[in-house]
Amino acid sequence: MRKKHRIIRSVFIVALALCLFAADLTPAFADEKSIQAQINALKNDANSLTQQKKELKNKLSALSSDITNNRKKKELLDSEINVLTSEISNAEEQIATYGALITQSQQELEEAQAREEAQYDLFCQRVRAMEEQGKVDYWSVLFRATSFSDLLGRLDIINEIMKYDQGIINDLKDLQAEIAERKTTLEGQKADSEAAKASLESKRAELDEQRDAANALVKELQENEADAKAELDAINAEEEAIQARMVKLSKELAAQQAASGQSSPAALGGYIWPVGSRRITSPFGNRNTGISGASTNHKGVDIGGVGYTSEVRAAKAGTVIISQYSSSYGNYVAISHGSGNTTLYAHLSSRKVTAGQRVEQGQVVGITGSTGISSGPHLHFEITENGSRVDPLKYLTGYVRAW
């Protein structure tokens, strides 16, 4: 009798240890679900961007090949480039999020495998305990009852042991099924991540093609003399309208600040280079446009030696008065530094500030690009003082002449 009690006691000790171990290793699924939700949201955004790009392509296809549509085509191409840039950012974020999800899934798989191994070890311990103590014959235990109450007590114990034996087997089966499912899920996540990486490379190649097409379009406009001159006049008119608006907004802002008792604007001058490059590809003033019989008064300086990823910084502290797109300047930002004193940053691939925002000198306001009437990546930079444009090279020293 004592021998059988020892067997039963050892069985329940193993069972208790198993329950405690399993409780410690219950996986947390909240993080995985949260990460998957982020991926699903990113995929929805990607689908929306794809639809936007499709609509832009349809608009481009609807335009005739007449050169008078070139500015409109360039504007649509710039919009496509913006969407492609957003798609690339989306794909990069998906890849990073998949990385976090894969790490989480790998950890949970390893935990499930550890629980399976522990479960199996405990089951082996039970078998070994049974072998050491002698095999339990359930019927013989029951038949050796000395009374009816003893029989009922033995029956309860035997039922518990049998349930436990079956429970161990069921738990092992469940763990094996869970491990198989997690392996399948993990492989699927890895495949999705690789697909996102392939999509990213494809979109980067498409972006390069679109930029080349946009730049070629501007060159085509410049090479067609008669129509290009008409377009040039329209561009100049738009830029003058923007200049007048900047001066007006700057004066209005200065008046508002003075009325509210804000500090007076800094004196003129005190500008820093807006980008790291010092290479001036086109100076301030008259320049040849490449169009026979036509020249233009360049309203700022073009800073080359940049690509599509260089940061553009505020040349001086102030308040953003315009941050938008125009067919001539493309994405551009204008900052007021006092009444009639502004700086303008044009042809940006993206803008990082909004109208009304206060910026400090050296703060990033955009990223260089080739939007608007531009045949290659550069920064068009203007300074206005007392309501009139001035040569930025009056203040930007140490430049490299490249025109």
Side-chain angles (χ1 to χ4, degrees), residues 320-336:
V320 178
I321 51 176
I322 305 176
S323 177
Q324 64 184 46
Y325 179 92
S326 80
S327 59
S328 58
Y329 283 132
N331 286 313
Y332 75 101
V333 170
I335 302 174
S336 174

Side-chain angles (χ1 to χ4, degrees), residues 278-281 399-403:
R278 301 290 186 270
R279 188 169 181 264
I280 303 298
T281 56
Y399 63 88
V400 176
R401 180 187 175 104
W403 71 88

Side-chain angles (χ1 to χ4, degrees), residues 78 82 323-333 345-351 367 370-372 379:
D78 284 344
N82 287 339
S323 177
Q324 64 184 46
Y325 179 92
S326 80
S327 59
S328 58
Y329 283 132
N331 286 313
Y332 75 101
V333 170
Y345 314 77
H347 306 307
L348 306 173
S349 61
S350 62
R351 294 171 276 117
I367 304 297
S370 186
T371 56
L379 174 67

Side-chain angles (χ1 to χ4, degrees), residues 250-265:
S250 177
K251 290 180 177 179
E252 289 175 352
L253 178 62
Q256 291 170 8
Q257 290 173 337
S260 61
Q262 295 183 38
S263 59
S264 58

Side-chain angles (χ1 to χ4, degrees), residues 208-259:
D208 289 339
E209 290 177 2
Q210 290 296 85
R211 282 172 172 164
D212 289 343
N215 294 338
L217 193 63
V218 173
K219 289 179 180 178
E220 180 185 344
L221 180 139
Q222 292 173 338
E223 289 167 359
N224 187 300
E225 297 179 10
D227 289 333
K229 189 175 186 308
E231 284 295 291
L232 181 61
D233 290 341
I235 292 166
N236 286 335
E238 182 179 61
E239 290 178 353
E240 287 305 317
I242 289 173
Q243 170 69 5
R245 183 185 175 208
M246 283 195 305
V247 172
K248 179 175 180 290
L249 289 173
S250 177
K251 290 180 177 179
E252 289 175 352
L253 178 62
Q256 291 170 8
Q257 290 173 337

Side-chain angles (χ1 to χ4, degrees), residues 126-324:
R126 165 161 167 71
V127 172
R128 284 195 297 271
M130 297 291 286
E131 290 176 347
E132 292 171 0
Q133 300 294 337
K135 182 180 178 182
V136 175
D137 185 333
Y138 298 134
W139 292 109
S140 65
V141 170
L142 292 175
F143 287 146
R144 290 178 185 176
T146 57
S147 65
F148 183 68
S149 60
D150 185 23
L151 174 65
L152 292 178
R154 288 168 179 263
L155 182 60
D156 288 340
I157 293 172
I158 292 301
N159 283 337
E160 289 301 318
I161 295 173
M162 292 177 69
K163 287 179 183 178
Y164 174 69
D165 286 343
Q166 188 59 49
I168 289 179
I169 295 170
N170 291 340
D171 287 345
L172 281 171
K173 287 180 178 179
D174 290 343
L175 277 170
Q176 288 170 353
E178 179 185 340
I179 288 169
E181 181 180 354
R182 289 194 174 280
K183 283 181 177 178
T184 301
T185 299
L186 182 59
E187 290 305 315
Q189 291 166 353
K190 288 180 178 178
D192 288 343
S193 178
E194 290 304 313
K197 290 177 182 177
S199 173
L200 175 60
E201 292 308 311
S202 173
K203 291 183 188 305
R204 282 175 175 164
E206 186 179 358
L207 178 60
D208 289 339
E209 290 177 2
Q210 290 296 85
R211 282 172 172 164
D212 289 343
N215 294 338
L217 193 63
V218 173
K219 289 179 180 178
E220 180 185 344
L221 180 139
Q222 292 173 338
E223 289 167 359
N224 187 300
E225 297 179 10
D227 289 333
K229 189 175 186 308
E231 284 295 291
L232 181 61
D233 290 341
I235 292 166
N236 286 335
E238 182 179 61
E239 290 178 353
E240 287 305 317
I242 289 173
Q243 170 69 5
R245 183 185 175 208
M246 283 195 305
V247 172
K248 179 175 180 290
L249 289 173
S250 177
K251 290 180 177 179
E252 289 175 352
L253 178 62
Q256 291 170 8
Q257 290 173 337
S260 61
Q262 295 183 38
S263 59
S264 58
L268 299 180
Y271 306 96
I272 64 172
W273 280 87
V275 286
S277 174
R278 301 290 186 270
R279 188 169 181 264
I280 303 298
T281 56
S282 185
F284 179 82
N286 289 334
R287 64 170 181 172
N288 192 312
T289 62
I291 303 172
S292 177
S295 64
T296 184
N297 183 24
H298 196 211
K299 303 167 182 69
V301 294
D302 289 345
I303 306 175
V306 298
Y308 294 95
T309 58
S310 299
E311 292 180 333
V312 177
R313 301 179 181 276
K316 189 177 180 180
T319 302
V320 178
I321 51 176
I322 305 176
S323 177
Q324 64 184 46

